[in-house]
Amino acid sequence: MYQKDGESYFIVDAHVALWDARPENQRNIHGKQFIDCFYDYHANLSPASEKWPYEEYLYQGGERFIKDIFTDGYVDHAIFQPAHLGEFYKTGFGQTEEAFALTQENPGRLTYNHNFDPRNGEAGLDQLRADAERFNLKGVKLYTAEWHGDSRGYKLNDPWTYRYFELCRELGIRNIHVHKGPTIRPLDRDAFDVADVDHAATDFTDLNFIVEHVGLPRLEDFCWIATQEPNVHGGLAVAMPFIHTRPRYFAQIMGELIYWIGEDRIQFSSDYALWTPRWLIEAFVDFQIPEDMTEYAPITIEQKRKILGLNAAKMYDIPVPVELQLPSADETATGPRQPERADLAAV
């Protein structure tokens, strides 16, 4: 656990990946465009000391992953959230076999989530059944802007997507992580719009919808949806590095999230290998809302503990030291709204 000033923090990095964007795996120009855009995010939002050479960024491998996440990164448990992107990469962007092998080698420290694409129809449903059994899936990662033949995206409330959610319910896959954030070249901005989360969360109240990147740049839309849907959560991937380059903007993000949905539904994510967790964790533990931003309350140590790991640990049944455990009552999917949130939703 990370410790600072006598306080301990159990860390769950809820959004990590092992990718291969090397030229030999790029299917076309779009593969290069995608990883170049990733690298621009990394280079422009990282401290100089944390910036990687471009060549190292294309592929990390398992040995470096373990070092960056666990040896150097303070993380107690990490959750793989792979993107396929088969139209851009020959073996896919996220490396399934390598990531799952690491999970098997480190069962107490890693959880492997997989992905599906509802545009694969009946064959995809069969594949999801097989994947759920092989990987013992508790969650999936969806990329609604992913290209598929002539299609350049899908929605969470499409009929075929609902077929897959129904199967997730049957298979015990309860956690649906959805990329709803900044666009990445060459993908389309509108296909990442957060609006369809509202439909799906209403119709599948027994599933958790974790909106990765908290909907940025549509934070206000996300907050208004999540405040009335108690099974919608926010993942801080991509939001976290603004703590370095735009600390007041980061303060606004955190202040709005805590005001609207509360600290119980926010999850820390480094988005490795976009960024490494060590400096993000150090910065967040030390972070405080500026005093002149009086519309937001200060962030407490207990709130930071929940965000940095206890919330995701509770969602995924990850063992936590007794002295840091949250109450055992399930308050996520189908749980009661906080009274003040319910009042807001009724306005």
Side-chain angles (χ1 to χ4, degrees):
M1 291 188 295
Y2 179 62
Q3 295 183 327
K4 179 73 181 290
D5 297 332
E7 302 290 348
S8 297
Y9 302 85
F10 184 85
I11 308 295
V12 178
D13 195 336
H15 190 297
V16 300
L18 268 177
W19 67 57
D20 185 356
R22 292 174 291 188
E24 56 267 33
N25 192 36
Q26 293 173 13
R27 189 180 295 278
N28 46 44
I29 186 59
H30 301 311
K32 183 174 185 344
Q33 290 172 336
F34 187 88
I35 194 60
D36 285 356
C37 186
F38 258 37
Y39 188 73
D40 286 344
Y41 277 114
H42 165 77
N44 291 320
L45 298 181
S46 297
S49 61
E50 304 296 331
K51 183 177 174 180
W52 292 8
Y54 177 79
E55 292 72 21
E56 293 182 21
Y57 200 71
L58 300 178
Y59 174 75
Q60 300 78 45
E63 184 175 343
R64 177 159 191 173
F65 175 93
I66 293 295
K67 182 178 186 299
D68 289 340
I69 298 293
F70 299 117
T71 306
D72 298 338
Y74 308 125
V75 173
D76 296 291
H77 198 102
I79 303 172
F80 280 114
Q81 309 287 1
H84 179 56
L85 299 175
E87 296 287 333
F88 301 164
Y89 298 98
K90 297 172 185 176
T91 65
F93 184 62
Q95 297 302 291
T96 298
E97 297 305 324
E98 190 172 7
F100 184 57
L102 276 182
T103 303
Q104 291 178 304
E105 294 166 8
N106 300 271
R109 296 197 292 177
L110 284 168
T111 294
Y112 181 77
N113 285 352
H114 200 50
N115 46 60
F116 68 71
D117 189 324
R119 292 166 295 186
N120 288 327
E122 292 287 353
L125 291 171
D126 292 339
Q127 186 63 55
L128 179 57
R129 293 184 183 94
D131 291 339
E133 181 176 1
R134 180 189 178 197
F135 302 131
N136 190 27
L137 294 179
K138 292 185 177 181
V140 290
K141 169 68 182 297
L142 305 185
Y143 225 71
T144 56
E146 183 164 352
W147 292 6
H148 187 281
D150 294 331
S151 170
R152 291 174 61 154
Y154 66 92
K155 292 186 178 298
L156 296 181
N157 57 330
D158 287 343
W160 267 107
T161 311
Y162 272 31
R163 291 275 305 275
Y164 280 71
F165 288 157
E166 289 163 0
L167 182 57
C168 285
R169 174 188 282 159
E170 294 174 17
L171 296 171
I173 301 171
R174 197 169 179 230
N175 304 315
I176 313 297
H177 296 256
V178 192
H179 179 116
K180 293 292 187 180
T183 189
I184 304 163
R185 188 183 187 201
L187 304 176
D188 298 332
R189 177 185 181 276
D190 290 348
F192 283 136
D193 193 285
V194 72
D196 54 341
V197 174
D198 194 12
H199 295 261
T202 296
D203 292 341
F204 292 89
T205 58
D206 51 342
L207 301 180
N208 294 311
F209 291 86
I210 303 89
V211 176
E212 302 295 350
H213 323 297
V214 294
L216 295 175
R218 309 168 189 86
L219 179 65
E220 186 173 12
D221 288 352
F222 166 74
C223 286
W224 278 94
I225 291 169
T227 197
Q228 64 179 350
E229 302 291 352
N231 56 331
V232 172
H233 305 248
L236 290 175
V238 175
M240 284 301 308
F242 285 107
I243 201 171
H244 167 65
T245 58
R246 295 290 185 272
R248 293 182 68 86
Y249 178 53
F250 181 76
Q252 179 188 2
I253 292 171
M254 294 307 304
E256 293 294 326
L257 288 172
I258 292 173
Y259 173 79
W260 287 101
I261 70 173
E263 67 273 11
D264 294 337
R265 288 192 277 148
I266 307 170
Q267 298 180 8
F268 166 75
S269 306
S270 70
D271 213 350
Y272 184 89
L274 270 161
W275 298 276
T276 50
R278 182 186 181 94
W279 70 271
L280 293 171
I281 293 165
E282 291 174 344
F284 185 68
V285 168
D286 291 344
F287 178 80
Q288 192 49 266
I289 302 287
E291 291 184 1
D292 65 320
M293 297 180 72
T294 56
E295 65 270 38
Y296 304 125
I299 304 176
T300 68
I301 290 173
E302 288 305 314
Q303 288 174 323
K304 290 179 180 179
R305 282 198 182 107
K306 289 181 178 182
I307 293 166
L308 280 170
L310 299 184
N311 291 336
K314 185 176 180 181
M315 181 176 286
Y316 276 87
D317 299 318
I318 297 167
V320 172
V322 173
E323 66 272 18
L324 295 179
Q325 288 178 0
L326 295 175
S328 59
D330 184 358
E331 299 165 355
T332 54
T334 67
R337 291 179 174 88
Q338 298 178 32
E340 65 272 24
R341 315 280 181 228
D343 292 341
L344 280 170
V347 173

